[in-house]
Amino acid sequence: MQGAPLESYVGEIAEIIYQNEDNGYTIAEFETKDIMFTAVGYMPSVSAGERLKISGKWVEHHTYGEQFKIEIYEKCAPKGEGAILRYLSSGIISGVREATAKKIVEKFGEDTLDIIENHPLKLAEIKGISAQKAVLISQSYIEKMGASALVMFLQQYSVSVNLAAKIYKKIGSGAVDFIKKNPYILCDEIDGVGFKTADSIALSMGFSKTNAGRIKSGTLYALKLNTTFGHTYLPRNILVSEATRLLEADSAEVEFAVESLIIQGLIISEKTDGEERIYTYAHHCAEKYVAEKMRDVAGVCFEEDDAALLKQIERIEKYQNISLAQNQKSAVMNAVKCGASIITGGPGTGKTTIINTVLELFKMRGLKCALTAPTGRAAKRMAQICGMEAKTIHRLLGAGYSDGDDNLTFCVDEENPLAYDVVIVDEMSMVDILLMQSLLKAVKHGKRLIMAGDVNQLPSVGPGNVLKDIIKSGIVKTTYLTEIFRQAEKSMIVVNAHKIIHGEMPVYNGKNTDFFFANLPDANRGSDYIISLVTDKLVKKYDVSPFDIQVLSPYKKGIAGIINLNAKLQEKINPFDIKKNQKDFGDITFREGDKVMQNRNNYDIKWTDTETGEEGSGVFNGDVGYIQFINHSLKNMTVIMDEKSVVYDFKNLDELDLAYAITVHKSQGSEFKIVIIPVYDGPYMLLNRNLLYTAVTRAKNVAVLVGSENIIRKMIDNNKETRRYSGLCDFLARGDTKVDIGASDENFKDSKGSLS
């Protein structure tokens, strides 16, 4: 009956019939001193033999009959020697099996658990238990009880099991007490816990909206949140405004919190040109370091005889059967003569030709070169084009995690720098300020750094505007490539990319073209047409697999968004089949044969080369593959990515997304044979020239736009980038080292825009 009080029982988990590791849903046989029955509910981390108090209601299952549905549960320490023995014999405490459990209970009886928790060294009185083992047993018991208590405490606030485990790992056995004293410690200390979650817990516990701790945490969160929009700092007035809105607080309270955080050193105040900039400590350090180190690297000059160098370039031209334009030769000479140089230009302007020429020159000099890029796919493309190994920046720097810590560390740094004379970085527009800091730490003084990229591409996903800021500062010799070379002129993809960036409409649907537009203003018709292109029309026309075709949408949501398109494409390309295993994870159904993408860097995950058997580790954000096997008994999934077999535990499936359709932002650094781009109305910040340009330049052989011509025009006309607050250019300009790079480019003028 609705509204009826909950019934409660105290007893033991006799047997776990079923337990879902993802959400903790459990079916168990529960035994009291009087009865045994089936209990169901969300009980993460419970094991057979554990003593619980459960509260809930009796329900009738249509197949299995009467069951007790648990709504609340709490763990109880086992009582009585028999219960304690069963509990310890279950194996849930590390280092204790049935024989050891029997010895301990025989020795200490009903005091066993108190001894384990509070007097562990007494366990060493038992033969076979050393002092070290005794401590480990105690730690395991305390951790088990502490973790369980935390999971149960946080469950009422809808915090997932995985996140609760992360919180416990960070805070430890006193986590519940810490959280009760200051719930805001969750968003201050734990990645993955937002302020709203912590605030909801705090307010439910009776904390006031005017609590000083709340105002400080909310203000710090507002600053950190905006780094996810690309900012390295916020002007003080904007931070106060953002925090005031978030907290529904008085601006004077937020101002006081800002001052308090500055005094504590948790945030940094930097006054520049009449503006007070507020940084997180990490981003302030990063911008200052990058500026100082970049001035140091750029200040190095290598003596070269220009005439002799030009003759060497001419010999390479003859040997490679190429002809370099004058500004390409300038770029090559800058790369050889300068400690730091930049090559920037769009598709078809010859960046690759320059890099290959530079590599030949350094080879002639006996110099050791490293090729690197921000993503795995960009590095792979670089390796193919240059004919030598290229690594991601993270792999080049030996990225990994220290024991017992989730913080990323690098083996290569100032103390252990790169053993290369030259470092060449491609796709520089994707490098954020923190990654640039790590890279520069690894570059020794007196070595060369060459940065190549397209400044008109979308900026990095992470905070900062590194490439643009360095160019704008004038501190590094920069070559702008604007000429499209004859071979590239044959491609309307290249021609139209340059038209777009110059504010002109693309030309499409010509004879023998590689650039098409389907005028379908209705999004429903357009999405259906996209499905037919991927599964039928383009497959037949170009004799390719659907996996060779990539849909790049500006949007996540909506009819033309990737969520809807992925669902439709999966249904068409890889529908449900009784013979195929599948796994539901959140809102996604993964199925054997599905196209998937890695959505974050994982440096520790193991892989095996399917051809050579070579083993290694590391899968990177943007890597694309397909699901080969789903094994429910082993609770894992095997994915093939670039001829590498990668095994994912079910608990790590949040690292994967379906990839029949991906966002334009996710496509950066990648290249696809055929690209389809939906162009429909959406959020203003996504309908801009840079995004359309980036999407078009991802196509290698064919680009197809589907949607409204008016929206294409709208995107091209919108040349206003959402402003990024970054201070690197100003930090760079404060130094004395400055070189003349000629007239400034129109593309680097400040643009005004609203805060994301």
Side-chain angles (χ1 to χ4, degrees), residues 490-735:
K490 298 175 184 176
S491 168
M492 290 308 298
I493 295 172
V494 172
V495 172
N496 282 330
H498 287 266
K499 282 181 174 290
I500 289 167
I501 210 62
H502 288 104
E504 301 172 25
M505 286 289 285
V507 177
Y508 34 72
N509 300 346
K511 189 177 179 181
N512 299 321
T513 190
D514 56 6
F515 198 102
F516 302 91
F517 170 63
N519 187 21
L520 294 166
D522 180 75
N524 284 298
R525 285 186 62 201
S527 65
D528 289 342
Y529 186 69
I530 289 169
I531 307 305
S532 71
L533 286 174
V534 177
T535 60
D536 182 41
K537 290 181 170 64
L538 293 177
V539 171
K540 291 177 180 175
K541 182 177 176 67
Y542 295 102
D543 191 24
V544 295
S545 159
F547 277 38
D548 294 321
I549 303 169
Q550 187 60 62
V551 179
L552 301 181
S553 177
Y555 335 99
K556 285 186 177 180
K557 299 178 180 178
I559 296 168
I562 64 167
I563 296 172
N564 181 55
L565 291 173
N566 267 320
K568 284 190 169 186
L569 285 164
Q570 183 190 45
E571 184 183 346
K572 192 75 174 178
I573 297 170
N574 192 32
F576 172 79
D577 187 334
I578 194 73
K579 296 177 183 177
K580 291 183 178 181
N581 291 319
Q582 61 182 49
K583 169 66 179 174
D584 292 333
F585 190 85
D587 297 329
I588 302 175
T589 296
F590 293 108
R591 188 172 296 132
E592 289 174 348
D594 272 334
K595 184 179 182 181
V596 291
M597 171 180 275
Q598 178 78 11
N599 59 34
R600 69 191 70 166
N601 292 331
N602 184 333
Y603 309 98
D604 295 332
I605 195 166
K606 306 298 181 189
W607 52 258
T608 304
D609 192 295
T610 56
E611 293 182 357
T612 65
E614 177 194 356
E615 294 183 344
S617 62
V619 180
F620 303 98
N621 189 359
D623 285 352
V624 175
Y626 69 92
I627 300 171
Q628 186 182 34
F629 302 119
I630 295 175
N631 192 320
H632 285 281
S633 59
L634 296 176
K635 297 181 180 178
N636 63 31
M637 178 189 295
T638 301
V639 178
I640 305 298
M641 289 181 172
D642 294 327
E643 290 76 52
K644 295 173 182 174
S645 177
V646 188
V647 179
Y648 292 81
D649 290 334
F650 281 173
K651 63 183 179 183
N652 294 328
L653 294 185
D654 60 338
E655 296 184 9
L656 292 172
D657 291 314
L658 292 177
Y660 301 104
I662 63 175
T663 63
V664 178
H665 284 84
K666 279 290 185 182
S667 74
Q668 288 178 268
S670 299
E671 190 176 65
F672 309 96
K673 287 183 180 179
I674 300 175
V675 163
I676 301 171
I677 308 161
V679 279
Y680 292 96
D681 205 8
Y684 179 75
M685 67 179 68
L686 296 177
L687 300 179
N688 64 71
R689 186 184 299 180
N690 288 84
L691 188 140
L692 181 61
Y693 172 80
T694 300
V696 167
T697 56
R698 299 307 89 199
K700 184 179 180 181
N701 298 332
V702 179
V704 183
L705 275 60
V706 179
S708 165
E709 200 164 32
N710 288 335
I711 299 300
I712 297 174
R713 179 76 269 172
K714 187 175 179 180
M715 294 178 80
I716 291 171
D717 288 344
N718 179 16
N719 196 29
K720 288 184 179 178
E721 297 177 53
T722 301
R723 179 168 179 190
R724 286 198 168 196
Y725 292 107
S726 63
L728 178 60
C729 182
D730 292 324
F731 280 123
L732 283 163
R734 291 178 195 177

Side-chain angles (χ1 to χ4, degrees), residues 198-474:
D199 198 38
S200 174
I201 294 172
L203 296 176
S204 299
M205 292 168 57
F207 279 70
S208 166
K209 280 194 171 187
T210 59
N211 178 277
R214 177 179 185 266
I215 305 297
K216 280 172 63 176
S217 288
T219 302
L220 185 58
Y221 174 76
L223 182 60
K224 289 180 177 178
L225 177 65
N226 276 277
T227 66
T228 67
F229 303 142
H231 308 297
T232 58
Y233 74 88
L234 286 183
R236 180 166 176 152
N237 64 312
I238 291 179
L239 172 60
V240 171
S241 174
E242 289 284 297
T244 300
R245 179 181 56 79
L246 172 74
L247 294 161
E248 298 177 345
D250 187 270
S251 60
E253 294 174 319
V254 175
E255 288 279 8
F256 184 82
V258 171
E259 285 299 324
S260 179
L261 289 164
I262 292 171
I263 292 168
Q264 288 180 269
L266 295 173
I267 61 177
I268 305 294
S269 171
E270 181 81 34
K271 292 180 178 153
T272 304
D273 296 332
E275 179 184 63
E276 185 177 2
R277 301 172 175 180
I278 306 297
Y279 286 86
T280 66
Y281 182 79
H283 293 105
H284 185 259
C285 287
E287 286 202 336
K288 285 194 73 174
Y289 181 90
V290 169
E292 183 180 343
K293 187 63 179 282
M294 185 57 71
R295 286 198 300 269
D296 175 67
V297 176
V300 175
C301 295
F302 298 91
E303 289 191 13
E304 291 276 346
D305 181 278
D306 284 0
L309 181 55
L310 281 168
K311 282 185 179 180
Q312 289 177 329
I313 293 171
E314 287 169 6
R315 284 201 295 272
I316 294 170
E317 286 180 297
K318 189 175 181 180
Y319 172 72
Q320 295 186 340
N321 194 28
I322 58 173
S323 179
L324 296 177
Q326 188 55 52
N327 69 336
Q328 288 182 304
K329 289 179 182 178
S330 296
V332 172
M333 294 181 74
N334 288 341
V336 175
K337 294 167 65 176
C338 303
S341 62
I342 293 172
I343 307 159
T344 184
T349 57
K351 293 192 297 293
T352 302
T353 304
I354 293 169
I355 290 171
N356 280 327
T357 304
V358 166
L359 286 170
E360 282 297 318
L361 283 167
F362 289 141
K363 186 178 176 182
M364 291 164 64
R365 286 159 170 72
L367 300 181
K368 191 177 179 183
C369 300
L371 301 182
T372 188
T375 68
R377 292 187 70 86
K380 184 180 179 181
R381 187 155 57 91
M382 195 181 189
Q384 291 168 340
I385 292 169
C386 298
M388 61 179 284
E389 183 183 28
K391 298 179 179 178
T392 65
I393 297 173
H394 290 88
R395 189 182 290 279
L396 182 71
L397 302 182
Y401 297 99
S402 55
D403 293 339
D405 197 347
D406 289 332
N407 293 322
L408 184 65
T409 60
F410 295 99
C411 299
V412 184
D413 54 21
E414 289 168 309
E415 300 299 319
N416 181 34
L418 289 165
Y420 294 96
D421 303 295
V422 184
V423 177
I424 302 175
V425 188
D426 198 15
E427 298 287 354
M428 260 299 298
S429 62
M430 298 177 65
V431 178
D432 64 37
I433 192 67
L434 295 177
L435 186 56
M436 192 64 184
Q437 180 188 27
S438 298
L439 177 62
L440 286 175
K441 281 183 177 181
V443 177
K444 282 178 72 174
H445 176 79
K447 305 300 182 183
R448 292 174 174 88
L449 176 65
I450 301 167
M451 296 164 280
D454 186 349
V455 78
N456 291 309
Q457 295 277 358
L458 291 171
S460 60
V461 174
N465 222 353
V466 175
L467 180 60
K468 281 190 177 181
D469 278 353
I470 295 174
I471 290 173
K472 189 177 173 184
S473 75

Side-chain angles (χ1 to χ4, degrees), residues 128-148:
I129 301 180
S130 65
Q132 185 180 13
K133 186 175 179 179
V135 172
L136 290 173
I137 290 171
S138 178
Q139 288 175 340
S140 177
Y141 175 74
I142 292 169
E143 185 172 322
K144 187 75 179 175
M145 297 305 289
S148 298

Side-chain angles (χ1 to χ4, degrees), residues 47-50 85-93 96-98:
S47 306
E50 290 193 278
L85 179 60
R86 286 194 298 275
Y87 174 72
L88 293 179
S89 298
S90 68
I92 58 177
I93 306 300
V96 181
R97 296 295 182 264
E98 190 172 353

